[in-house]
Amino acid sequence: MNRIKDIAKKANVSAGTVDRVIHNRGGVSEKTRVKILKIIEENNYTVNPIASILASKKKFTIATLLPRATSNNDFWQSPKEGVIASADEIHSLGIDVLHFEFDQFRPESYIEAFYKLLESDPSAVLLAPVLHKETIEIIHLLDQKKIPYVTINAETEGLNNLSYIGQNSYKGGYLAGKLMNWVLPPNATILIVEIRKNIDNHKAITNRIKGFKAYFDEHKKKKSIQHITIDQLDNENFVNQSLATFLEEYPQTKGIFVPSSKAHHIAKSIQILKRKDIEIGGFDTTPQNIDFLKNEHIDFLISQKPYQQGYEGIKLLFNYLIHKKEPLKNYFLPIEIVLKENVDYH
Amino acid sequence: MNRIKDIAKKANVSAGTVDRVIHNRGGVSEKTRVKILKIIEENNYTVNPIASILASKKKFTIATLLPRATSNNDFWQSPKEGVIASADEIHSLGIDVLHFEFDQFRPESYIEAFYKLLESDPSAVLLAPVLHKETIEIIHLLDQKKIPYVTINAETEGLNNLSYIGQNSYKGGYLAGKLMNWVLPPNATILIVEIRKNIDNHKAITNRIKGFKAYFDEHKKKKSIQHITIDQLDNENFVNQSLATFLEEYPQTKGIFVPSSKAHHIAKSIQILKRKDIEIGGFDTTPQNIDFLKNEHIDFLISQKPYQQGYEGIKLLFNYLIHKKEPLKNYFLPIEIVLKENVDYH
DNA sequence: GTTTTTTTCGTGTACGTACACGAAATTAAT
DNA sequence: ATTAATTTCGTGTACGTACACGAAAAAAAC
């Protein structure tokens, strides 16, 4: 038996007093406080979290702020699923998780969702700061209210976030470089396809490209690396045209690196152009990407483990709120290589 | 409010009666039983596990039966760490996890540990049935006592296990085949190095080899694949000799596949023999293997995610015992590719 | 020394469920 | 109809902690 009662008896005080000491609620003389702490120490007593949660009326709520998944194919579906799975596990432990979503291409919807989130007065927040500028502008409201927050997916500097959970984008690109080098013959030309213009917020993509190039630099593989940017991804003809034009100009192109989750668009065009000799590598195992991985028009994908970002993020906040467990500042998730041969166990 | 009391009130019975229905403890007329079940359904009431655990005196214990890790470098260190981490998380929820270990090369120690485990009268068991024959002989004692058990790491047929958690070895070998093919020039000879003779229990290794060869068969890559078996791994000279002899006979050898966790021994010899042109692939990210991965004498490793095997195994049993959540029969963990470039985030 | 203020701490109830005990209701036996 | 046997169910207490309330003790003010 090692209950609050037992500690109390050993200290010749009541359970209430011990409780006050444990929770730093004051109203206890320094003398008895020290005595009780010593006895707690000696008996290495710890509160029974089960009883504690039951007795405590205070309900914790964690709010999440993530881009809305526009379809089941969307990248953002996965973090959401991870969040929900984690939330389910801790729901019975008195934690509620509220979801707030925004349109990642409409900054104003981000701000709007953020304010709604604030109104819910959460105990903690999980957010994906993909809109960098806006995040910097409003994040101080969380600091001000002393609401702890964890960021996922987008590494962002200058935040007082409790932790970041996600991938090291540079290393992800670097690994992509290695894989691309593996699958390509010597002296091939590589094309890097960027998708949107002026996306100041997608630092991750920039870092991936840096990492990708760094691999070739460091290994003295003198490959020609070209860039194009394709804006109108939804316009299939436009994509085909852009690629066809490029490939005419650079016939030695044997590899295409897509540093975003949109490799499947490129793979589709390459399929239409009947260029079986071109290897494609990209990021994120969305259903569409997986389709092209399976039919061998995409050679490799690198997963950011988005599900885990959501899952671990919620779990971390739970441990912080309930068990007062101080997390690390950064949790870099494994950089997972997904090929046709292992995608099914992914 | 959705408490047992509320359900009781709606059904015009007392909380005790509802409790009896929930736990199938009998002593309730069919009529009221059905009524209560209906009301529970309608209000989708679920017991509060917190209060339930607190009120329940019954303590669950999960026993584990795993090979002893002979050093921190040992493969079996990881599942153990996963088990411990998972056990820590649920300890406060009233679950104790007891560890039983054996020497995987002494079957009698396995039997001995098994009987000790039985004496502890666990609520459930997690075991790695690496000793196949012995497992088949004694596992019925668990069935007999109706103790549910989960197996990890070694896929074994003919067991009444609740679940299996581990890798699909065949697919692991198949993937290794693809990677080996990527890194090798055409027309290279490949050597498969088996480590111990007569290990009837390591079905996984056999399956990996099958998968490995299947890749080359299916892709019509006419590579010459040779085998050797090296017994005395600890005898470094012997290993060097064996490899040197083989390489003399087959000078075209450019790749070595080690379908076990012992690739580092081979890598060391190849390093000594100064054959930088030979690529090595193996399994399991033990510290020693990682060392050779980092110094580029091993090209790739495939991880079985041993930590997750332990972690998820305990978690699954917890959910089964406490939340009565029926698990799937098989949980095949991701087949993770580990290269020098992503090993640090592993 | 008395009263007032402040500090310190003990008591009691609540959290939601589990389960023992025994009372009430129903059914069976006479 | 009475008693006995059986079924059905209500009550009460326990699990260990949190926290409000207010009493007792100590300190301060007069």
Side-chain angles (χ1 to χ4, degrees):
Chain A
M1 286 298 107
N2 211 2
R3 303 160 301 176
I4 209 170
K5 253 191 195 171
D6 305 308
I7 299 298
K9 191 179 285 176
K10 283 173 186 155
N12 284 319
V13 293
S14 77
T17 304
V18 176
D19 182 73
R20 270 184 286 265
V21 170
I22 291 170
H23 295 92
N24 290 312
R25 280 196 280 123
V28 180
S29 69
E30 188 56 22
K31 207 178 67 186
T32 53
R33 205 183 73 86
V34 169
K35 181 167 71 174
I36 289 172
L37 282 177
K38 193 173 150 225
I39 292 175
I40 286 177
E41 180 76 21
E42 284 170 1
N43 298 57
N44 49 42
Y45 163 84
T46 51
V47 291
N48 178 331
I50 295 294
S52 177
I53 291 166
L54 183 61
S56 167
K57 294 138 205 300
K58 70 163 166 279
K59 291 282 168 212
F60 287 106
T61 59
I62 299 175
T64 69
L65 184 58
L66 302 175
R68 185 175 299 113
T70 51
S71 74
N72 287 340
N73 291 331
D74 197 287
F75 171 82
W76 290 101
Q77 184 63 21
S78 290
K80 188 178 175 183
E81 284 170 7
V83 162
I84 289 172
S86 202
D88 276 356
E89 285 180 13
I90 61 178
H91 180 70
S92 57
L93 302 169
I95 320 288
D96 279 330
V97 178
L98 296 177
H99 307 277
F100 296 87
E101 298 189 326
F102 60 95
D103 178 343
Q104 61 175 319
F105 302 113
R106 292 201 308 119
E108 67 275 17
S109 84
Y110 180 54
I111 305 284
E112 197 182 314
F114 186 85
Y115 278 103
K116 266 198 195 137
L117 177 152
L118 277 183
E119 270 173 38
S120 78
D121 192 33
S123 323
V125 171
L126 174 99
L127 77 159
V130 290
L131 294 176
H132 181 259
K133 203 178 64 189
E134 289 75 14
T135 301
I136 297 293
E137 280 169 15
I138 54 181
I139 201 73
H140 68 275
L141 292 171
L142 288 178
D143 296 327
Q144 205 170 295
K145 290 196 169 193
K146 294 197 194 309
I147 298 174
Y149 56 96
V150 160
T151 53
I152 66 167
N153 193 266
E155 235 180 313
T156 308
E157 309 221 326
L159 301 184
N160 291 316
N161 56 330
L162 196 59
S163 287
Y164 165 73
I165 300 177
Q167 191 165 90
N168 183 321
S169 315
Y170 179 89
K171 295 281 186 176
Y174 191 89
L175 175 62
K178 164 145 187 175
L179 294 174
M180 189 57 89
N181 186 54
W182 264 6
V183 298
L184 289 189
N187 302 321
T189 295
I190 298 171
L191 169 63
I192 299 178
V193 179
E194 290 186 66
I195 301 303
R196 280 176 267 123
K197 256 184 187 161
N198 300 328
I199 35 154
D200 57 334
N201 295 318
H202 268 57
K203 209 177 158 188
I205 288 174
T206 319
N207 283 336
R208 284 171 186 166
I209 294 174
K210 276 189 199 157
F212 185 81
K213 289 179 167 172
Y215 179 83
F216 290 96
D217 284 351
E218 286 176 21
H219 291 76
K220 305 204 171 41
K221 311 277 182 188
K222 41 181 192 302
K223 288 217 165 32
S224 154
I225 299 181
Q226 303 298 324
H227 278 255
I228 60 172
T229 299
I230 298 182
D231 268 331
Q232 310 162 42
L233 251 201
D234 299 324
N235 184 339
E236 207 173 289
N237 282 332
F238 180 80
V239 178
N240 293 346
Q241 276 295 329
S242 306
L243 285 175
T245 308
F246 177 89
L247 292 175
E248 224 163 290
E249 190 176 347
Y250 294 92
Q252 287 308 312
T253 305
K254 297 287 179 191
I256 301 182
F257 174 54
V258 187
S260 70
S261 64
K262 306 301 183 187
H264 61 94
H265 283 115
I266 307 306
K268 193 168 188 184
S269 278
I270 293 299
Q271 184 177 21
I272 289 167
L273 297 173
K274 298 201 196 302
R275 287 292 300 264
K276 290 216 166 184
D277 58 322
I278 291 184
E279 320 286 345
I280 300 177
F283 281 80
D284 301 328
T285 51
T286 63
Q288 289 166 325
N289 275 345
I290 287 178
D291 284 347
F292 282 93
L293 190 70
K294 285 191 170 176
N295 74 18
E296 304 192 329
H297 282 91
I298 291 180
D299 274 71
F300 64 85
L301 291 169
I302 291 177
S303 168
Q304 303 187 61
K305 297 194 151 276
Y307 180 92
Q308 279 76 4
Q309 291 178 13
Y311 185 90
E312 298 296 337
I314 295 296
K315 195 166 153 187
L316 183 154
L317 282 174
F318 163 74
N319 283 323
Y320 178 73
L321 291 173
I322 301 291
H323 298 129
K324 304 199 188 307
K325 196 170 137 193
E326 284 289 338
L328 301 177
K329 179 75 184 181
N330 286 302
Y331 290 89
F332 290 114
L333 294 176
I335 304 176
E336 193 179 31
I337 303 165
V338 182
L339 310 181
K340 184 191 177 193
E341 287 74 15
N342 68 346
V343 65
D344 286 336
Y345 298 96
H346 161 72
Chain B
M1 285 297 107
N2 212 2
R3 304 162 298 175
I4 209 168
K5 254 191 195 172
D6 305 307
I7 299 298
K9 191 179 286 176
K10 283 174 186 156
N12 283 320
V13 295
S14 77
T17 304
V18 176
D19 183 74
R20 270 183 288 262
V21 170
I22 291 170
H23 296 92
N24 290 312
R25 280 196 279 122
V28 180
S29 70
E30 188 56 20
K31 207 179 66 183
T32 55
R33 203 183 74 87
V34 168
K35 181 168 71 175
I36 290 171
L37 282 177
K38 194 174 148 225
I39 292 175
I40 286 177
E41 180 75 21
E42 285 170 0
N43 299 55
N44 49 43
Y45 163 85
T46 52
V47 292
N48 178 330
I50 294 295
S52 176
I53 290 165
L54 184 60
S56 167
K57 294 133 205 302
K58 71 164 164 278
K59 289 278 166 218
F60 286 107
T61 59
I62 299 175
T64 69
L65 184 58
L66 301 174
R68 185 175 299 113
T70 50
S71 74
N72 287 341
N73 291 330
D74 196 287
F75 171 82
W76 290 102
Q77 184 63 21
S78 290
K80 187 178 175 184
E81 283 170 8
V83 162
I84 289 172
S86 202
D88 275 357
E89 286 181 12
I90 62 178
H91 180 69
S92 57
L93 301 171
I95 320 286
D96 280 330
V97 178
L98 295 177
H99 307 276
F100 296 86
E101 298 188 327
F102 60 94
D103 178 342
Q104 60 176 320
F105 302 112
R106 291 200 309 118
E108 67 275 19
S109 84
Y110 180 54
I111 305 282
E112 197 181 313
F114 185 86
Y115 277 102
K116 267 197 193 139
L117 177 152
L118 277 183
E119 271 174 36
S120 79
D121 192 32
S123 323
V125 171
L126 174 99
L127 77 159
V130 290
L131 295 176
H132 181 258
K133 202 177 66 190
E134 290 74 14
T135 302
I136 297 292
E137 280 168 14
I138 54 181
I139 201 73
H140 69 274
L141 292 171
L142 287 178
D143 295 326
Q144 205 169 295
K145 291 196 168 192
K146 295 196 194 307
I147 297 174
Y149 57 96
V150 160
T151 54
I152 66 167
N153 193 265
E155 234 179 313
T156 308
E157 310 222 325
L159 301 183
N160 292 316
N161 56 331
L162 197 59
S163 287
Y164 164 73
I165 300 176
Q167 192 164 89
N168 183 321
S169 314
Y170 179 88
K171 296 281 185 177
Y174 191 89
L175 176 61
K178 164 146 187 172
L179 294 174
M180 189 57 92
N181 185 54
W182 264 7
V183 299
L184 289 189
N187 303 320
T189 294
I190 297 172
L191 169 63
I192 299 178
V193 179
E194 291 186 67
I195 300 304
R196 279 176 267 123
K197 256 183 186 163
N198 298 330
I199 36 153
D200 57 334
N201 295 320
H202 267 57
K203 209 177 158 188
I205 288 174
T206 320
N207 283 336
R208 285 171 185 165
I209 293 174
K210 275 189 200 158
F212 186 80
K213 290 179 167 174
Y215 179 83
F216 291 95
D217 285 349
E218 287 176 21
H219 290 77
K220 306 205 171 40
K221 312 275 181 188
K222 42 181 192 302
K223 289 217 163 36
S224 153
I225 298 182
Q226 303 298 324
H227 278 255
I228 61 173
T229 299
I230 298 181
D231 268 330
Q232 310 162 40
L233 253 201
D234 300 324
N235 184 338
E236 207 173 290
N237 284 331
F238 180 80
V239 178
N240 294 345
Q241 276 295 328
S242 307
L243 286 175
T245 308
F246 177 88
L247 293 176
E248 224 161 293
E249 191 176 348
Y250 294 92
Q252 287 309 312
T253 305
K254 297 287 179 190
I256 301 182
F257 174 53
V258 188
S260 70
S261 64
K262 306 300 182 189
H264 60 94
H265 284 114
I266 307 306
K268 193 168 190 185
S269 278
I270 293 299
Q271 183 177 21
I272 289 168
L273 297 174
K274 297 199 196 306
R275 287 291 299 265
K276 290 217 166 183
D277 57 324
I278 292 184
E279 320 285 346
I280 300 177
F283 281 79
D284 301 328
T285 52
T286 63
Q288 288 165 326
N289 275 346
I290 287 177
D291 284 346
F292 282 93
L293 190 69
K294 285 192 170 176
N295 73 18
E296 303 191 328
H297 283 91
I298 290 180
D299 274 70
F300 63 85
L301 291 169
I302 291 177
S303 168
Q304 303 187 63
K305 298 195 150 275
Y307 180 94
Q308 279 76 2
Q309 290 178 14
Y311 184 91
E312 297 296 335
I314 294 295
K315 195 165 152 187
L316 183 154
L317 283 174
F318 164 73
N319 283 322
Y320 179 73
L321 292 174
I322 301 291
H323 297 129
K324 304 199 188 309
K325 196 171 137 192
E326 284 289 339
L328 301 177
K329 179 74 186 184
N330 285 300
Y331 289 90
F332 290 113
L333 295 176
I335 304 176
E336 193 179 30
I337 303 165
V338 182
L339 310 181
K340 185 191 178 194
E341 287 75 14
N342 67 348
V343 64
D344 286 335
Y345 298 97
H346 163 73

